[in-house]
Amino acid sequence: MKKLVLLILGICLVSTSFAQLKFIKRIFSNEKDTTRRASFMPIPVFGYAQETGFEFGLGSIYSFYVDKHDVTNRSSNFFGAASYSTTGTYNVTLRGDAWTKKNGLHFIGEVRFKDMPFNFYGIGNGTVEADKDKLVQQMTKVLFDAEKAIAKNTYTGISVGFENHRFTDKETGGVYSTDPLVYDKDGGSVLFLGISQSYDTRNSNNYP
């Protein structure tokens, strides 16, 4: 079974490497891509942190043009990544950035789920290493922006978002649980609505 898992992982890494080399060659090529075809690139995720241990996963980027015949049409792209650590934590992120024909409308979206530990030392400037308290943060985040072109390179729109945070103290009796200055220890949620304004003159929004 272990050999089968290693074989599958090896095939995935080799396929990812070939896809990346092809994509990178295309980016830095002197030849102009007149087809403006869509592209897909998988990305391996590796990392290490003291709190999470070794982290591994897979990400990917998909890029395309809504209007292939209009050379001024900005490229739309979607990004996704999921990782898991040796301590059982996870991080999942999905992001999208889309432009309609003639760049008249611009949409941005993000969805994220995270379960990650971190060290808490208290509040204020007098914190000490001895008070280190290990917490786990569970976060859910949803964000959506919609903008409309009101002038050249100028966009105005609305932004809607929601975030939920939950905190768990892994060490009973730690500073997080006992410090009276820490309020709402379980976490909470927030829902917000705002106005977005952007000015963008890039000729390549993926690789400025």
Side-chain angles (χ1 to χ4, degrees), residues 3 9 43 76 109 118 121-122 163 174 177 181 184 186 206-207:
K3 292 183 179 179
L9 180 61
I43 305 170
S76 300
F118 67 96
Y121 297 88
E163 292 186 22
S177 301
L181 296 178
D184 298 323
D186 293 333
N206 273 354
Y207 313 103

Side-chain angles (χ1 to χ4, degrees), residues 59-81:
S60 62
I61 300 174
Y62 178 69
S63 181
F64 65 97
Y65 295 92
V66 173
D67 189 348
K68 295 182 179 181
H69 303 290
D70 181 7
V71 295
T72 63
N73 183 221
R74 295 177 180 272
S75 63
S76 300
N77 61 83
F78 292 96
F79 168 80

Side-chain angles (χ1 to χ4, degrees), residues 106-110 141-148 155-163 190-198:
H106 182 208
F107 301 101
I108 303 173
E110 179 179 0
K141 177 181 179 180
V142 179
L143 175 67
F144 179 75
D145 286 358
E147 298 179 329
K148 179 178 175 57
Y155 297 84
T156 298
I158 60 172
S159 177
V160 180
F162 171 80
E163 292 186 22
V190 59
L191 175 67
F192 59 87
L193 176 66
I195 298 175
S196 64
Q197 179 69 52
S198 61

Side-chain angles (χ1 to χ4, degrees), residues 130-198:
D131 287 337
K132 181 172 68 173
D133 195 357
K134 192 169 187 178
L135 307 182
V136 174
Q137 178 193 33
Q138 293 178 315
M139 183 191 74
T140 300
K141 177 181 179 180
V142 179
L143 175 67
F144 179 75
D145 286 358
E147 298 179 329
K148 179 178 175 57
I150 60 172
K152 185 177 180 181
N153 303 320
T154 305
Y155 297 84
T156 298
I158 60 172
S159 177
V160 180
F162 171 80
E163 292 186 22
N164 177 268
H165 297 263
R166 288 287 179 264
F167 300 95
T168 304
D169 192 348
K170 290 296 185 180
E171 299 177 3
T172 305
V175 65
Y176 186 77
S177 301
T178 59
D179 191 342
L181 296 178
V182 181
Y183 297 98
D184 298 323
K185 294 181 172 65
D186 293 333
S189 301
V190 59
L191 175 67
F192 59 87
L193 176 66
I195 298 175
S196 64
Q197 179 69 52
S198 61

Side-chain angles (χ1 to χ4, degrees), residues 50-107:
Q50 183 179 357
E51 297 87 356
T52 62
F54 288 99
E55 184 180 1
F56 53 92
L58 183 67
S60 62
I61 300 174
Y62 178 69
S63 181
F64 65 97
Y65 295 92
V66 173
D67 189 348
K68 295 182 179 181
H69 303 290
D70 181 7
V71 295
T72 63
N73 183 221
R74 295 177 180 272
S75 63
S76 300
N77 61 83
F78 292 96
F79 168 80
S83 62
Y84 189 79
S85 76
T86 52
T87 59
T89 62
Y90 62 86
N91 193 350
V92 179
T93 302
L94 300 172
R95 286 200 299 265
D97 191 333
W99 298 81
T100 62
K101 291 184 177 181
K102 298 182 180 179
N103 302 322
L105 296 174
H106 182 208
F107 301 101

